[in-house]
Amino acid sequence: MNAIYALGAFILTIVVWNAVFKRNIGEAMAVGFVVTAAFAGADAFAVGWKSLVDGLKSEITFAALAFVFVSELLTRTGLVGRMVDILSSVLGRYRGGSAYAATVASGLFGAVAHNGAAIVATIGSITIPWMKRSKASGETAALVLSGNAGVGATFPFSGAFFVLLAAPTVLPVLSSGDIVAAMFITGIWMVLMRVVVAAVIVRKRGVGAMAAADIRPLRTSFRAGWPSLVVLGSIALPIIVASGSLVVSRTGLDADDVIPLLIWLPVVMLLVGLVVERKALPRGRSQWWSLLGEVSPKLGLVGMTMIAAFAASNVLNTLGLGKQLTPYLTGLTGVPKVVAAIVVGLVIVIVAGPLNTTSTVAAVGPVAFVALTTAGIHPAVAFAAILVWASSEGCSPPGAAPLYVAAGIAEINPVRIFVPVVLYYLIPTLITGILLAVGILWIPT
């Protein structure tokens, strides 16, 4: 029971420190780790120190930091703006084109940057004014952007992705190679779901074609923006090599032994980005130091979050959490998958109301994973469903920070979209996770 009590204390500490005391998730995770280690009693220092060292050495920690740096660098080079220009050239002349462009652009940017508030701030600053010029109300524009905010968490390499991967109930079961392809497909499903929602919004709430002044010829926008698509496409190379049979057939080794996927993905993306975005990179030592100075607080927050998450997971594993949870979850064996998915999905969506995606996954992800897999759901599918439900941060009022960012850009009272965002985005997100969990929506496993 000691490990179960430690898990409860870990969850409670995160929620209280983050939601009640309003401290950042990195600090909450660090305090949670200390509290968790205390349950080792006389061995608390030894167990905590070993777990902390393992967290510092983890490739998961490196990857999380690397992706933050890559996403910040590529965002500052104007990559996102060029993506949106291409989408506008393709979709802008059609009714609702600005809403579709905002939706697809949020997905593309989310695949790189992942952060909900950043998606709204970056994409919204461009597309919300365009939507308003396309005869959409400010409420409709803010609704679309806040509903799209969580899509980044459903693609691989978000903070929530790494936190769940490092969870004590997940780490012994899944490796990065088991879930990267599955999460890419999951992210695509979530974008498609939002495209359908955007179509309903266009029909019900009225969004016209983009203003002609906002549409560049496709030839012009593509000539300027095609390198941004190359950067996104570059992540396919290490995935194909690591997951294919080429390495195994040539060497006889497991692919992960030859190419650590979480190491090579950000490295390849950074190298390609440095080449194709070279003209927009900082110039000289002073500009690079300025960039690093602006990015370092985010790196520090992500680093603290990941190290603390990994360390706490190791402590709980040392305390025997898996064995102690088993008797309480065996009752779910034989329960229909749809019942388990509905119950777990509702719990996660409710928890995501006051917390952001990463905090939600840290708080309930480990237990949710065991509950779903005990009910017979494939581990990779359970992993994907949990991230889908937790990604509701932008559409879970009143604690949805991206919603307030969108409302601020659109200059509307955020309360006016509380109900619409639940109806148009929160409920479909819950349903999509359930459809994934029961196998109606396919993902590779």
Side-chain angles (χ1 to χ4, degrees):
M1 290 295 293
N2 195 36
I4 295 177
Y5 292 145
L7 176 62
F10 180 57
I11 294 172
L12 182 62
T13 300
I14 293 171
V15 172
V16 170
W17 215 261
N18 184 243
V20 178
F21 293 162
K22 307 297 183 184
R23 307 297 296 179
N24 66 61
I25 183 60
E27 185 177 310
M29 294 290 287
V31 176
F33 159 62
V34 173
V35 171
T36 305
F39 280 80
D43 297 326
F45 182 80
V47 171
W49 178 254
K50 184 179 184 304
S51 299
L52 181 61
V53 171
D54 289 342
L56 288 167
K57 295 190 297 184
S58 170
E59 67 180 38
I60 298 175
T61 302
F62 165 80
L65 293 171
F67 273 107
V68 168
F69 178 76
V70 172
S71 66
E72 284 290 321
L73 179 64
L74 297 183
T75 298
R76 291 167 185 270
T77 63
L79 176 139
V80 176
R82 291 191 289 276
M83 280 184 194
V84 174
D85 282 344
I86 294 174
L87 291 170
S88 300
S89 298
V90 174
L91 301 171
R93 294 175 176 83
Y94 300 99
R95 180 188 179 195
S98 56
Y100 297 126
T103 300
V104 179
S106 295
L108 291 173
F109 182 51
V112 178
H114 308 293
N115 182 275
I119 291 172
V120 172
T122 305
I123 303 298
S125 63
I126 301 170
T127 58
I128 285 177
W130 285 0
M131 291 179 68
K132 293 174 73 173
R133 292 176 64 179
S134 302
K135 305 180 181 64
S137 66
E139 287 79 5
T140 298
L143 169 65
V144 171
L145 267 297
S146 62
N148 287 323
V151 69
T154 60
F155 282 96
F157 319 124
S158 66
F161 172 94
F162 291 116
V163 168
L164 187 57
L165 185 60
T169 54
V170 178
L171 194 60
V173 180
L174 290 175
S175 69
S176 59
D178 297 326
I179 53 175
V180 169
M183 289 312 304
F184 268 115
I185 300 301
T186 299
I188 292 171
W189 278 121
M190 293 303 290
V191 173
L192 291 176
M193 179 272 284
R194 285 169 164 84
V195 170
V196 173
V197 171
V200 175
I201 291 174
V202 168
R203 182 180 180 87
K204 297 291 186 182
R205 299 176 69 95
V207 182
M210 284 184 180
D214 293 329
I215 304 174
R216 301 174 66 188
L218 179 58
R219 180 179 299 178
T220 302
S221 62
F222 187 80
R223 186 186 299 119
W226 68 265
S228 65
L229 304 180
V230 173
V231 173
L232 285 178
S234 68
I235 60 181
L237 178 61
I239 293 173
I240 292 171
V241 174
S243 61
S245 59
L246 178 63
V247 173
V248 177
S249 62
R250 293 291 180 89
T251 67
L253 298 174
D254 183 84
D256 281 343
D257 294 331
V258 181
I259 301 178
L261 194 59
L262 293 184
I263 300 294
W264 278 111
L265 273 168
V267 170
V268 169
M269 195 170 182
L270 176 62
L271 292 176
V272 175
L274 290 175
V275 173
V276 302
E277 298 285 289
R278 61 188 180 279
K279 294 182 180 179
L281 293 174
R283 302 291 181 183
R285 182 182 301 178
S286 61
Q287 290 187 16
W288 277 105
W289 273 114
S290 177
L291 171 66
L292 292 174
E294 294 173 4
V295 174
S296 58
K298 293 186 178 180
L299 291 174
L301 178 60
V302 172
M304 181 180 292
T305 300
M306 294 313 308
I307 293 169
F310 206 98
S313 296
N314 287 336
V315 170
L316 292 169
N317 193 47
T318 301
L319 295 175
L321 178 64
K323 293 181 179 179
Q324 293 181 26
L325 280 176
T326 300
Y328 297 94
L329 295 168
T330 51
L332 290 176
T333 303
V335 171
K337 294 180 181 179
V338 65
V339 174
I342 291 172
V343 172
V344 174
L346 283 171
V347 170
I348 294 176
V349 167
I350 290 170
V351 172
L355 301 180
N356 62 29
T357 302
T358 304
S359 304
T360 299
V361 169
V364 299
V367 177
F369 181 82
V370 175
L372 292 174
T373 53
T374 302
I377 296 172
H378 190 281
V381 175
F383 188 100
I386 290 169
L387 288 183
V388 166
W389 292 320
S391 72
S392 58
E393 64 166 302
C395 50
S396 296
L403 185 150
Y404 297 100
V405 175
I409 297 173
E411 299 179 330
I412 58 110
N413 182 353
V415 176
R416 297 176 66 176
I417 60 171
F418 277 8
V419 173
V421 81
V422 170
L423 295 176
Y424 283 107
Y425 289 99
L426 182 59
I427 294 175
T429 296
L430 174 63
I431 294 173
T432 302
I434 294 171
L435 295 177
L436 281 170
V438 300
I440 294 177
L441 295 181
W442 173 85
I443 59 172
T445 58

